[in-house]
Every structure is written in C-alpha cells, then in structure tokens.
Amino acid sequence: MGIQVLYDNKSYTVREKETVLDCLLREGQNIPHSCKAGSCQSCLMKMVDGEIPEISQQGLKPTFKQMKLFLSCQCYPKADINVQLPNDSGLSVQAKILEKSLLSSNVLKVRLHLLEDFEYLAGQYITITNNEQVVRCYSIANQTKKDRNIDLHVRLLPDGKMSSWLQDVAQIGDEVKVRGPAGDCFYFANGKIDNPILLIGTGTGLSPLYGILLDALENGHTGDIKLYHGALKEADLYFIGELNKIAAKYSNFTYVPCVLRGEEGNFYKTGNIEDIVLSALPEDKNNTKVYLCGAPELVNSLKVKVFLAGFSNNNIYSDAFLPSKE
Ligand SMILES: Cc1cc2nc3c(=O)[nH]c(=O)nc-3n(C[C@H](O)[C@H](O)[C@H](O)COP(=O)(O)OP(=O)(O)OC[C@H]3O[C@@H](n4cnc5c(N)ncnc54)[C@H](O)[C@@H]3O)c2cc1C
Ligand code: FES
C-alpha cells in the first residue's frame, strides 16, 4: 500500500508524482483550487497529522504556517498524512462590490470594499471567490490606503467564468470572499529612493504596476521610473490619460506605451514590447528594480533576458498571470 492521505474519514492512496490536491480531486473530492501552480492559495488545506513539505508552504504568511496550513497543489507527501479543509475564519474576509466601470472594451475596473481590516501593499494580489465558488487571482491596482477599498483591473475573456460573472451577473453591493494578499511585487526602497525602477507589463499586467507606481511616487521616490505597457492593438491600451498626467507632473516618470500591431508615427512605440524594453535598458544594472507582470510567456521570457543582460535576480520581481486549471 502506498502513501495514504486521510481526508474526511476516508483514506486515499497517492500515486507517484501526484499532489495531495490531484489525489483528492481524482477521488471525486470537492477541494477548492484554481492555478495548481502555488500562486492563488485557493487550495489551502490544514495538516492535522503528518509532516508538511517545505515547498508546500512557500509564500504563505507566517501565521498561516503556524496554523499548519499548506498548499495542497504543491504537496507531495513523503509519508501518510491526515488533512482537512481549513475553517474560513481568519483566512478570508468578505468584500462588497462598490463600483464597476469599463477601462477599455476588454478591461473592467472593479472596486471592492472590504468589510474587515485587511493589510496589503499595492501590486500584491488577492484571491476572490464568488457565490458560484469560482476562484481567481487579481492584482491590486490602487495605492496602499486604509480606506479598505481595493481596485482590480479585470481582463474580460469570452466565456471567462469570473470575468463574465463580474461583468454580467454581479451587482453593486454583491459580496465576494477575499483571501490573501500574496506576492512580492510591491514598492519598497529601503531608503534608496533614488534608484531606478523599471515597470513592464502587457494587458491587465498594468494593474499591479500602476499600484506600484502610485506607491513609489507617494513615498517620494526620486529615481527614474519607466513604465512600459504593451498591447496587441492601440484600442487595448488603457489609462493613457492617467499615465500621461502623472508623467506631466513627475519629471522622473516616463510612460512608454507599446503596440504590437500599431502604426508608425503614433504616440506609442510600435513592435514587440520585449525588443523595445531590451533596446533601452537602464545603465545602472546593479540598483535598478525590475517589475514584470501579466502574460506568463512575456514575464518568464523577460525575466531570463533581463537577468542575462546583467540585472541582479534579487532585483527582479514578477507576477505571471497564470490561467486557472480547473
Ligand atoms: C498572481 C496572479 C495575478 C493575476 N492578476 C490578474 C489581474 O490583475 N487582472 C486580470 O485580468 N487577470 C489576472 N490574473 C488572471 C486571473 O486570475 C484569471 O485567470 C483570468 O481573469 C481569467 O479568469 P476567467 O474566469 O475570466 O476566465 P476562465 O474561465 O479561467 O477562462 C476562460 C477561457 O479563457 C482562456 N484563458 C484564460 N486566461 C487566458 C489568457 N490569459 N489568455 C488567453 N486565454 C485565456 C481559458 O483557457 C478558457 O478557455 C492573475 C492571475 C494570477 C495567477
Ligand atoms: S495555489 Fe494551489 S491551486 Fe493555486
């Protein structure tokens, strides 16, 4: 008999190279999950008895670790374990939908109002669950404030379970469950407010970058901040007015919109955002902080290329918007 997972008074055998989540799903158990990549924290479980592999607690808050919580999608048990779904209290807070508005034809801004205190930093991400038990991650686009409001930029996907629900079904005042925050894409300068910052993203990858930009400026950052925002076509760019206004007010901020299928001679740069970024990297490779957000292919590719160009891995922060693997 192989390694056993005891859940809900039943015992299941874990197959070779199988996670606890996949084992329980295979056995027909209804375990919440989304990314299956260790990002969204929707698959949190509690270890009642047994050893927790370190990797399955990566990125969890210290309090979660103390509560013996772990990510079941990252857990490959080495011996028999006894697990349960955690009690929601202390893990999630309720939030009301306060506003919805279109930022472009395919980006919806959603403002949530959290019903309890919730500490976060602009640029981190939260995991929301709606009343249909759909779970998705969204990055925090607004400055770190104490008003309990959180702005999300949601890309509208045809038949997207969460994005369609937010656009077509959800009403102002409806509640969602919010878990998190998570992620290390946020502004921190450690007193070095004159170091350069490079913000790079496509589509709604702008969301965390916008939050980071606002936080940096609010904190009096004096170093050069350059934001590259990539889109497939001109109509997919959004927040152009807001970003131009910020650029007019702060001489250390440069906004570089990039359009893959654009026309030369416009207000944006035309071509592949990767080539555009790599052709004009800052000279101060030791001190520049680089933030990469959005489409996983771009984030993963640029992470390697920026590192190979001489930037320190310790200064590269990224959030790949991995799709759900329900
Ligand atoms: C850390 C993190 C942060 C994120 N932050 C944001 C954010 O700030 N804003 C945001 O809009 N999204 C963000 N995402 C992605 C988000 O969590 C959802 O995956 C996305 O909104 C799609 O959900 P959906 O329910 O609308 O579509 P789904 O029902 O999941 O998908 C509908 C269909 O679209 C396809 N699909 C899913 N994603 C993509 C894609 N990127 N490109 C093409 N096809 C796709 C699916 O395969 C499926 O066929 C983030 C993801 C992660 C992991
Ligand atoms: S972290 Fe496990 S499903 Fe997302």
Side-chain angles (χ1 to χ4, degrees):
M1 203 163 70
I3 292 169
Q4 298 296 301
V5 175
L6 185 67
Y7 171 72
D8 203 16
N9 295 321
K10 289 188 197 82
S11 196
Y12 305 104
T13 305
V14 191
R15 290 181 182 164
E16 211 181 321
K17 294 187 181 161
E18 190 176 49
T19 63
V20 171
L21 175 67
D22 281 336
C23 168
L24 294 175
L25 292 176
R26 176 173 52 75
E27 295 286 358
Q29 296 297 334
N30 186 12
I31 310 294
H33 64 282
S34 179
C35 71
K36 287 193 173 179
S39 291
C40 69
Q41 302 193 2
S42 61
C43 65
L44 273 180
M45 294 194 85
K46 187 179 167 79
M47 189 67 77
V48 180
D49 197 12
E51 203 175 314
I52 306 178
E54 203 179 320
I55 194 163
S56 66
Q57 288 191 313
Q58 225 167 48
L60 295 189
K61 293 185 206 177
T63 46
F64 283 16
K65 291 184 185 174
Q66 276 162 12
M67 290 158 78
K68 292 196 156 195
L69 300 178
F70 67 98
L71 301 171
S72 58
C73 75
Q74 299 299 303
C75 183
Y76 298 88
K78 300 253 182 311
D80 294 354
I81 55 173
N82 179 1
V83 299
Q84 66 184 39
L85 282 176
N87 184 332
D88 239 355
S89 81
L91 293 188
S92 311
V93 299
Q94 289 297 116
K96 267 190 199 309
I97 297 174
L98 204 62
E99 272 177 52
K100 295 197 296 179
S101 56
L102 280 174
L103 299 178
S104 73
S105 64
N106 62 7
V107 179
L108 182 73
K109 175 177 157 183
V110 177
R111 177 164 289 173
L112 299 178
H113 180 71
L114 297 143
L115 302 184
E116 289 171 46
D117 283 341
F118 184 84
E119 296 213 348
Y120 69 88
L121 292 165
Q124 287 190 293
Y125 59 88
I126 54 170
T127 303
I128 66 173
T129 307
N130 69 8
N131 59 10
E132 294 167 7
Q133 302 312 310
V134 179
V135 187
R136 298 287 184 270
C137 295
Y138 292 101
S139 305
I140 302 173
N142 59 305
Q143 234 172 297
T144 308
K145 281 192 196 156
K146 297 267 175 235
D147 61 5
R148 291 195 187 160
N149 289 347
I150 281 187
D151 288 350
L152 312 175
H153 298 177
V154 178
R155 177 176 169 202
L156 299 170
L157 284 163
D159 302 324
K161 281 191 190 160
M162 182 60 91
S163 55
S164 302
W165 181 83
L166 284 166
Q167 186 184 29
D168 303 328
V169 181
Q171 302 291 319
I172 303 302
D174 281 358
E175 289 189 16
V176 290
K177 193 166 78 179
V178 173
R179 190 178 273 180
D184 55 8
C185 275
F186 51 81
Y187 174 73
F188 67 102
N190 275 346
K192 295 179 181 160
I193 57 167
D194 53 351
N195 282 343
I197 296 179
L198 207 50
L199 306 165
I200 306 156
T202 48
T204 47
L206 177 61
S207 167
L209 303 178
Y210 188 67
I212 294 165
L213 169 68
L214 296 183
D215 257 6
L217 296 172
E218 173 73 15
N219 283 285
H221 198 87
T222 56
D224 284 342
I225 307 176
K226 205 166 189 180
L227 166 68
Y228 290 91
H229 184 212
L232 201 58
K233 49 191 194 314
E234 185 182 332
D236 294 338
L237 289 171
Y238 67 92
F239 263 16
I240 302 166
E242 283 82 350
L243 290 164
N244 277 328
K245 239 189 245 170
I246 298 172
K249 187 169 171 195
Y250 295 91
S251 58
N252 60 328
F253 172 59
T254 313
Y255 165 48
V256 189
C258 309
V259 177
L260 186 63
R261 292 186 204 146
E263 281 173 20
E264 296 292 343
N266 232 310
F267 67 94
Y268 49 76
K269 288 197 183 287
T270 303
N272 184 325
I273 183 172
E274 229 185 77
D275 299 337
I276 297 169
V277 168
L278 293 172
S279 66
L281 286 171
E283 277 173 20
D284 188 355
K285 294 179 179 170
N286 291 330
N287 297 307
T288 302
K289 280 195 195 303
V290 183
Y291 294 87
L292 303 164
C293 298
E297 311 74 46
L298 175 87
V299 167
N300 295 331
S301 164
L302 262 182
K303 216 160 129 179
V304 174
K305 288 181 179 161
V306 168
F307 170 69
L308 292 176
F311 291 77
S312 160
N313 245 342
N314 294 334
N315 282 335
I316 303 174
Y317 306 90
S318 62
D319 267 340
F321 288 5
L322 299 168
S324 166
K325 287 194 191 153
E326 276 176 339

